Amino acid sequence: MMRLKKRYIALIVLGALAVMGIAFVLTLNGIVIGTTFRDIGEPFENTEACAVVLGAKVHEGGRLSDMLRDRMDTAIALYREGKVKSVLLSGDGRGEWSEVKYMKAYALENGIPEEDILEDPEGYSTYETMLRAKEVYGLDAIVAVTQKYHLYRALYIAEDFGMKARGADATLDVYSGQIYRDFREILARIKDFGLCLINE
């Protein structure tokens, strides 16, 4: 009888901890999304903003992944329409298939002049990209370019660093593996929320 009672109490405690954990995760994700979703849409008017393109996988041979190509196409369209004055290409610049190297090649092929391209080969994470956009490249007004699920976090970090930021949704297709990315993003929002708190 005593053993059953202990198990019952243990189940109640575990259940309560699980509920608290879920509430914690939902609350922090809600803050990140709720404070940035209105910033996704049309870029600023009459601005000197820079499009910050967040890197993604480059396949062997230098072919951009579908997600990265869509990010680049979105940034190129913004530039052609005069909605940004320049582009910052940020990603992992290491190795033979450097994200930034092939992002730049794609930008040049599609008509963006080299003088309007900034390269950040040390954008190893979303947080580092936004930190370096502010502190290394001195950007004050940006248009973050990535898929929508990722934009909330990018904008939250940018705004935490004091940048005036808008988001351009580069979701131009349905991407395989998106369920996994959505789950990972839930955890990444918590991580970067914490980093932003430390940054205060």
Side-chain angles (χ1 to χ4, degrees):
M1 186 70 177
M2 182 62 70
R3 184 176 295 175
L4 287 174
K5 187 175 182 180
K6 286 182 178 179
R7 287 181 180 176
Y8 180 68
I9 294 172
L11 286 172
I12 291 174
V13 171
L14 288 173
L17 290 174
V19 169
M20 290 171 62
I22 292 170
F24 175 78
V25 169
L26 292 177
T27 298
L28 294 192
N29 273 265
I31 291 171
V32 172
I33 294 171
T35 57
T36 57
F37 77 94
R38 290 187 180 86
D39 298 324
I40 298 173
E42 280 299 308
F44 312 111
E45 294 182 4
N46 302 317
T47 182
E48 294 292 292
C50 176
V52 177
V53 188
L54 291 108
K57 185 177 179 61
V58 171
H59 297 294
E60 187 173 343
R63 181 173 62 86
L64 306 188
S65 61
D66 291 344
M67 295 185 79
L68 184 53
R69 186 195 63 246
D70 288 350
R71 294 177 191 183
M72 290 299 301
D73 286 345
T74 300
I76 290 164
L78 290 171
Y79 181 86
R80 287 175 176 169
E81 293 165 9
K83 294 179 179 178
V84 295
K85 68 165 186 175
S86 58
V87 295
L88 170 63
L89 309 177
S90 182
D92 190 340
R94 299 169 295 187
E96 186 178 2
W97 311 120
S98 158
E99 293 173 7
V100 173
K101 174 183 175 181
Y102 289 98
M103 290 164 76
K104 181 179 180 181
Y106 191 87
L108 291 171
E109 288 169 8
N110 284 276
I112 298 186
E114 187 161 13
E115 61 267 23
D116 290 336
I117 298 174
L118 302 172
E119 300 173 69
D120 176 18
E122 296 180 36
Y124 304 129
S125 70
T126 305
Y127 187 87
E128 288 172 300
T129 289
M130 294 306 168
L131 172 64
R132 291 172 57 78
K134 176 66 175 181
E135 297 191 353
V136 177
Y137 298 91
L139 300 180
D140 292 314
I142 70 163
V143 178
V145 183
T146 184
Q147 279 69 31
K148 190 172 186 178
Y149 80 97
H150 186 203
L151 270 177
Y152 306 111
R153 179 161 57 102
L155 290 170
Y156 187 85
I157 298 166
E159 291 168 5
D160 188 71
F161 282 121
M163 287 185 280
K164 185 179 180 184
R166 296 285 293 174
D169 183 3
T171 310
L172 306 182
D173 203 348
V174 177
Y175 311 102
S176 61
Q178 190 57 43
I179 293 175
Y180 166 74
R181 280 188 290 270
D182 287 338
F183 176 76
R184 188 179 67 175
E185 187 65 16
I186 290 170
L187 302 179
R189 289 181 193 129
I190 295 170
K191 171 184 69 71
D192 286 342
F193 182 92
L195 289 175
C196 288
L197 280 180
I198 295 170
N199 178 54
E200 295 295 336

